[in-house]
Amino acid sequence: MDIPLRLSPADMRRLGHLAVDEVVDHLATLRDRPVGGPPDRARMEALFDARLPGGPADPVEVMEQAMAQLRDFIVHTDHPRFLAYIPGPSTFVGAVADFVASGLNVFAGQWIVGAGPAVMERTTIDWLRTLCGLPETGGGLFVSGGTMANLVAVHAARSRRDGLVYVTSQTHGSIRKGLRFLGFDEGRLRIIATDDRHRMDVAALRRRVARDREEGLVPSCVVATAGTTNTGAVDPLGALADLCAAEDVWLHVDGAYGAAAVLSDRAGDLLEGLGRADSIALDPHKWWYQPYEAGCVLVRDETTLTDAFAMNAEYLRETRHGTAPLNYYDLGPQLTRGFRALKLWMSFKTFGLDAFRQAVEHGIALAEHAQDLLLRGDRWDVVTPAQLAIITFRPRLPGAAPGRVDDLTRRIATGTLRDGFALVMTTEIGGRPVLRLCITHPETTARDVTDTIALLERLADEAAGGNGRA
């Protein structure tokens, strides 16, 4: 008898084998293909069949159609020369873990139906907690990404004490987005000045907190950043921890990008004080090489999460039974949640921590190599030096008006998308555009960096009219 929505074992194997072959071919040939190209919505909509299917089709043919439509219409954020934004290099082990978690349809929200996944997630969280220097009272959970990790942490801080939140101009936009979602108005947000290294100015923060207290207001949470998206800057975490402890203010560290550098000796003292935070956001789908989605929030005291998120419902009564039941719906906003922890658990087990450490240090070294190349000639001005695998720069045009330099900078970035060899985008420093390299892919080589800078120089010349240097 046919079972609705169920393939035969033979068809499942046929489809699964094809899927594995497609992913392996993608990873094996990625370096030899373009990073991506400019999206053309009209062309894509003309190619994609938008008719709602009424009857069945061969699953292998459907898979082949899907792959044909996807291959040419995505930018490969896992490409060794994707140097824009924060790249998303991932491992095949992580992809297989996602397939297994989906194939078994693991429900990782509550104890009765997901005790094994809960213990594996707790184990993985403990690994991350230990690496970040948080005490045994700490805990946390996996979420979709940095935006949700920041939101969970800030809500936990607010549940402890509702009041003012302190950020800088370099704080990630997800913080302000999360605050709006939580009902904060702009009047409760304080923008603290930064120093010449784009880090939060501790003295300015101290003055603002004192002023707010004098006005009868309640300071609640300071949001520090470990690895800003723009420049890789790390706020002075130790000094901020001292101030927050003295003022009894929650210290949240958005380490979605940079917290991974706790593995690296090359990061030196940049992350000193990370383990003194009340909460930390980090993204294993960034610099720990996991497929999307894999964000994580850690807290110093796990009871702060249960105080903020624990729920009771009549249909969940049995989930409270057993020996120390672990219900992740008590630690965050989701009841239904997938098994995100499996991918990092399998990857750490498969490759070992030393391999991750080497990969992180490789990215830091390549950014420093890029800086050496940029400073070697007279084509570029380095705006912010290499830090945590990020460097920013712009073309040097002696005597040119800033507007001309800015226009050329943006045209170079747009040119990389058309060219396809590497992708380099802009950000803004001091209100002006800069080119930005973020080099975190473990397979990116020094030659890739050299060839990418050569591409940027060629695009600069072309944008200037093709008559010699820009």
Side-chain angles (χ1 to χ4, degrees):
M1 181 181 70
D2 290 339
I3 302 174
L5 304 179
R6 178 65 60 85
L7 300 177
S8 69
D11 281 343
M12 284 191 280
R13 288 189 173 90
R14 197 162 56 103
L15 184 62
H17 291 162
L18 176 61
V20 169
D21 287 343
E22 290 284 358
V23 173
V24 171
D25 287 347
H26 163 78
L27 294 174
T29 63
L30 187 55
R31 168 174 289 281
D32 302 322
R33 289 184 278 119
V35 176
D40 185 335
R41 180 170 177 175
R43 179 184 170 217
M44 286 186 281
E45 290 182 343
L47 287 174
F48 295 169
D49 186 354
R51 294 172 298 174
L52 183 64
D58 182 88
V60 167
E61 292 180 1
V62 172
M63 168 70 81
E64 291 171 341
Q65 180 186 12
M67 293 305 302
Q69 292 179 339
L70 283 174
R71 280 193 199 97
D72 296 332
F73 296 108
I74 58 174
V75 170
H76 299 294
T77 65
D78 57 347
H79 196 291
R81 293 187 299 277
F82 180 88
L83 306 175
Y85 311 122
I86 304 291
S90 61
T91 67
F92 182 73
V93 170
V96 170
D98 267 351
F99 172 76
V100 170
S102 296
L104 298 181
N105 204 24
V106 175
F107 185 98
Q110 53 108 319
W111 178 251
I112 293 295
V113 300
V119 172
M120 289 182 74
E121 182 161 351
R122 171 53 59 88
T123 298
T124 311
I125 289 292
D126 279 345
W127 292 342
L128 298 178
R129 174 188 61 74
T130 302
L131 288 171
C132 290
L134 292 174
E136 292 185 0
T137 56
L141 74 162
F142 280 84
V143 292
S144 57
T147 296
M148 186 56 68
N150 286 325
L151 187 149
V152 168
V154 171
H155 178 62
R158 184 178 71 165
S159 297
R160 174 180 174 269
R161 179 180 296 117
D162 200 359
L164 304 175
V165 177
Y166 300 81
V167 301
T168 76
S169 62
Q170 299 301 302
T171 301
H172 196 273
S174 65
I175 293 290
R176 298 180 79 157
K177 180 177 182 179
L179 289 172
R180 288 199 306 270
F181 180 83
L182 293 170
F184 279 77
D185 59 61
E186 289 290 316
R188 289 199 282 165
L189 193 66
R190 299 289 185 263
I191 311 297
I192 305 301
T194 56
D195 62 17
D196 58 358
R197 295 166 62 185
H198 305 284
R199 308 178 308 163
M200 183 178 285
D201 186 321
V202 180
L205 173 65
R206 182 179 292 108
R207 290 191 297 269
R208 186 68 216 222
V209 168
R211 175 182 164 187
D212 288 332
R213 288 201 188 280
E214 289 173 0
E215 295 176 0
L217 302 173
V218 180
S220 171
C221 177
V222 171
V223 178
T225 305
T228 61
T229 301
N230 280 342
T231 69
V234 179
D235 288 331
L237 302 180
L240 290 172
D242 290 340
L243 175 58
C244 289
E247 295 288 345
D248 192 24
V249 172
W250 183 288
L251 175 60
H252 173 62
V253 177
D254 178 6
Y257 168 60
V262 296
L263 296 180
S264 171
D265 294 334
R266 296 180 69 96
D269 298 330
L270 282 175
L271 296 176
E272 183 180 353
L274 179 65
R276 298 175 61 192
D278 294 290
S279 56
I280 302 170
L282 50 89
D283 273 359
H285 65 219
K286 289 188 172 76
W287 214 355
W288 277 341
Y289 318 111
Q290 299 307 301
Y292 307 119
E293 301 167 348
C296 179
V297 59
L298 303 174
V299 292
R300 186 171 198 81
D301 180 353
E302 192 171 73
T303 63
T304 58
L305 291 181
T306 55
D307 290 345
F309 292 102
M311 63 172 286
N312 288 297
E314 62 276 8
Y315 62 91
L316 295 173
R317 192 173 304 278
E318 284 75 21
T319 67
R320 302 294 180 189
H321 298 169
T323 304
L326 180 58
N327 295 307
Y328 271 96
Y329 65 73
D330 282 335
L331 303 181
Q334 288 181 272
L335 174 55
T336 300
R337 58 195 299 271
F339 190 20
R340 295 187 180 98
L342 181 61
K343 63 185 94 178
L344 189 59
W345 185 91
M346 284 185 60
S347 295
F348 274 3
K349 286 279 192 177
T350 299
F351 298 110
L353 196 60
D354 285 345
F356 281 83
R357 179 175 290 108
Q358 292 169 14
V360 168
E361 292 186 338
H362 176 69
I364 294 172
L366 283 184
E368 293 170 356
H369 171 65
Q371 177 172 287
D372 291 342
L373 294 175
L374 293 166
L375 292 174
R376 189 173 298 169
D378 60 356
R379 301 294 306 268
W380 306 100
D381 288 323
V382 171
V383 178
T384 59
Q387 184 166 252
L388 293 187
I390 292 177
I391 182 170
T392 70
F393 55 102
R394 62 168 61 100
R396 180 182 297 169
L397 294 178
R404 183 184 170 202
V405 179
D406 295 349
D407 177 67
L408 179 61
T409 301
R410 294 199 184 281
R411 290 170 70 186
I412 293 170
T414 303
T416 67
L417 185 59
R418 289 195 306 268
D419 181 87
F421 174 78
L423 189 64
V424 179
M425 293 283 99
T426 66
T427 188
E428 291 189 2
I429 304 295
R432 296 184 60 198
V434 292
L435 295 164
R436 173 184 169 283
L437 298 180
C438 183
I439 312 174
T440 59
H441 200 301
E443 296 177 24
T444 304
T445 65
R447 178 62 183 269
D448 288 326
V449 174
T450 301
D451 289 348
T452 297
I453 292 174
L455 167 67
L456 299 178
E457 292 178 352
R458 175 173 63 80
L459 291 171
D461 291 341
E462 292 174 358
N467 297 316
R469 285 186 173 189

